[in-house]
Amino acid sequence: MDAITHPEGAGSGAASGQPLGVRFLVFPQPPFIPGYEKPEVVWIGASAGPILAGPSDSRMYVANPVEPKSPYAAPYIPPYAGLLQPPVEPGPDGHFDHIGPGSPAFLSTHSFACAHRVLDICESYVGRSIPWFFEPTLERLEIVPRIPDWENAQSGFGFLELGESEPGNSASCFALNFDAVAHEMGHLILLSELGVLQGDGRDTDFFSYHEAIADFISLLGLLQFDTAVDRLLRRTSGNLLLHNELDKFSELSDEKQLRSFNNSLRIGDVGSDVHDQSKPFAAGLFDCLIEVFQSLQFERGTSNINPREFSDLRRQMVPALIEEGLRAPKASYELKHFATKAALQDARDIVGEAVVRSWRYLEPDSLTFEAAAVAFLEAASQGRGVAYIDQLEDCMRWRGIL
């Protein structure tokens, strides 16, 4: 903390020049989920300049209306023209982690931190700043943390707006739901990197691919939280193979975002709805994550299951072998918890990096799931995923994508 400085002229409440960034409190999952009742301290980097009152910086800002606003719809775009609540001020040290869940300002700080964290994660994978697709018309993203009695969340041309899943219930605000914010940020980041359609997208998988990627980015974001990774691994004893195979994952864990990938759907199994169409590709990426995770464990001696012996690991393994893993004493898992955690974090980054870097090979108006899978494999072959390229390809082929 001694390294935190406030350079003269940086602005009111600026936390500029901090090598560690700015602290916020964030719930990895909504606080009504058992085990996530307390928020986690996260650091938001200062790559976009000082984080000031609002919160705000050069990439995004919070606009909290005094009166309930209507959700943005064409032709209306930010900035919001009505009266706003006073901007949330950082503490004397330039941080926002003094603002807890009991404060009226918490929705503002929480939604800002969630949105910025997802942007920071994706930029770290691509290795550069990601300019907004709505520039230069708008320079910054406007975040509206709560629209009362609106059961939705949406993102669009310069905005991210959050309603609530149960009208009148403040605990159900999507601003408190990292998954919901991360999903919408996934759309914004993908539009910024991939580009927007010039046509109507009728003969493409553009919209369903968007849903798949937004879901997967939400998963990548969740796996960046120590509390979430620790909870997930300890409740399953590190045996993520049980997820789709025996459908026991939901009995062991409340990590709801992971359960959305719990399917055995292939491309030919889904209908015309874009959310249904997205499921095989999103699940294929999750298969890739598990393949790399299991491979790293075998290579490092924390598992005796070699995934290279299976063309489809989670569906070919005998259920008895998976159940045997579940019967293993908890104490034996604890001896290798941190090694297992490191393997999952590495797998997350290997697959996440390939996903984000694959967008450079895609064009919106010709985007298909097959093209997206080829681009993903190409990006993986150019990075750390090269060692697992055959396994990644097998995952996509099983789903009928290739």
Side-chain angles (χ1 to χ4, degrees):
M1 294 301 102
D2 291 339
I4 296 174
T5 60
H6 298 275
E8 185 177 352
S12 174
S16 177
Q18 297 185 23
L20 299 178
V22 180
R23 295 193 307 269
F24 289 82
L25 295 180
V26 172
F27 288 109
Q29 292 279 270
F32 54 77
I33 295 179
Y36 293 101
E37 296 86 357
K38 295 182 179 180
E40 183 173 323
V41 175
V42 301
W43 292 84
I44 302 300
S47 61
I51 298 178
L52 309 174
S56 65
D57 67 2
S58 66
R59 303 303 307 281
M60 59 186 71
Y61 65 94
V62 171
N64 194 5
V66 172
E67 299 292 336
K69 74 179 288 292
S70 297
Y72 283 117
Y76 301 103
I77 61 173
Y80 177 67
L83 294 176
L84 296 173
Q85 300 284 355
V88 179
E89 296 283 348
D93 56 1
H95 298 281
F96 290 86
D97 58 341
H98 66 292
I99 298 173
S103 169
F106 187 65
L107 290 184
S108 294
T109 61
H110 193 270
S111 56
F112 178 89
C114 290
H116 217 302
R117 187 172 174 86
V118 175
L119 179 62
D120 289 348
I121 290 167
C122 290
E123 288 186 337
S124 73
Y125 285 146
V126 78
R128 55 172 170 76
S129 176
I130 297 176
W132 297 121
F133 74 95
F134 45 79
E135 295 177 9
T137 305
L138 299 172
E139 294 182 353
R140 298 191 295 168
L141 176 70
E142 180 179 284
I143 302 171
V144 179
R146 185 185 184 191
I147 298 181
D149 302 321
W150 182 52
E151 299 178 51
N152 203 357
Q154 70 170 7
S155 55
F157 197 88
F159 61 82
L160 168 62
E161 299 183 296
L162 304 163
E164 49 199 13
S165 59
E166 298 177 17
N169 179 4
S170 59
S172 74
C173 290
F174 288 123
L176 295 177
N177 188 325
F178 176 82
D179 286 344
V181 178
H183 180 96
E184 295 304 326
M185 285 297 296
H187 285 303
L188 292 170
I189 291 168
L190 184 56
L191 283 170
S192 299
E193 280 291 277
L194 181 62
V196 299
L197 282 169
Q198 299 302 310
D200 59 11
R202 184 176 303 174
D203 297 322
T204 75
D205 293 319
F206 179 84
F207 297 109
S208 46
Y209 177 74
H210 250 272
E211 293 301 327
I213 292 300
D215 279 344
F216 197 70
I217 285 178
S218 179
L219 169 62
L220 292 174
L222 176 63
L223 293 178
Q224 295 283 349
F225 288 94
D226 278 344
T227 51
V229 174
D230 281 336
R231 179 180 172 82
L232 169 64
L233 291 176
R234 285 198 161 102
R235 293 186 73 177
T236 61
S237 294
N239 191 349
L240 301 189
L241 291 171
L242 61 88
H243 180 173
N244 278 359
E245 216 33 76
L246 301 179
D247 199 25
K248 292 181 179 178
F249 194 87
S250 60
E251 298 174 16
L252 296 173
S253 173
D254 295 306
E255 281 74 14
K256 297 183 182 298
Q257 180 61 38
L258 292 181
R259 285 208 296 273
S260 71
F261 298 93
N262 188 6
N263 67 71
S264 299
L265 296 171
R266 304 187 190 204
I267 287 294
D269 298 332
V270 296
S272 59
D273 177 78
V274 295
H275 293 89
D276 285 341
Q277 289 179 340
S278 74
K279 291 178 181 178
F281 192 85
L285 291 177
F286 184 77
D287 292 344
C288 292
L289 175 69
I290 298 302
E291 283 278 343
V292 177
F293 170 58
Q294 192 63 38
S295 295
L296 288 168
Q297 288 197 93
F298 180 75
E299 293 166 8
R300 298 172 183 182
T302 56
S303 170
N304 59 5
I305 298 172
N306 182 2
R308 298 183 189 275
E309 296 178 355
F310 304 86
S311 61
D312 184 10
L313 178 64
R314 290 193 292 140
R315 292 169 185 80
Q316 290 179 343
M317 278 201 62
V318 179
L321 292 178
I322 302 174
E323 291 178 344
E324 181 180 347
L326 291 176
R327 291 195 297 269
K330 289 283 186 181
S332 66
Y333 168 74
E334 285 299 323
L335 293 174
K336 56 184 181 180
H337 169 72
F338 289 101
T340 302
K341 181 178 178 181
L344 180 55
Q345 291 170 327
D346 283 347
R348 171 202 69 198
D349 293 339
I350 289 169
V351 176
E353 178 183 278
V355 169
V356 174
R357 295 187 177 186
S358 72
W359 300 333
R360 74 180 78 170
Y361 303 110
L362 297 172
E363 293 292 335
D365 286 273
S366 60
L367 196 156
T368 64
F369 281 128
E370 181 179 6
V374 170
F376 167 68
L377 294 173
E378 176 62 26
S381 71
Q382 300 297 318
R384 291 185 293 164
V386 65
Y388 313 101
I389 200 70
D390 291 341
Q391 294 165 267
L392 302 181
E393 183 175 347
D394 283 343
C395 290
M396 290 298 176
R397 288 196 182 282
W398 188 91
R399 295 282 174 177
I401 297 166
L402 293 173

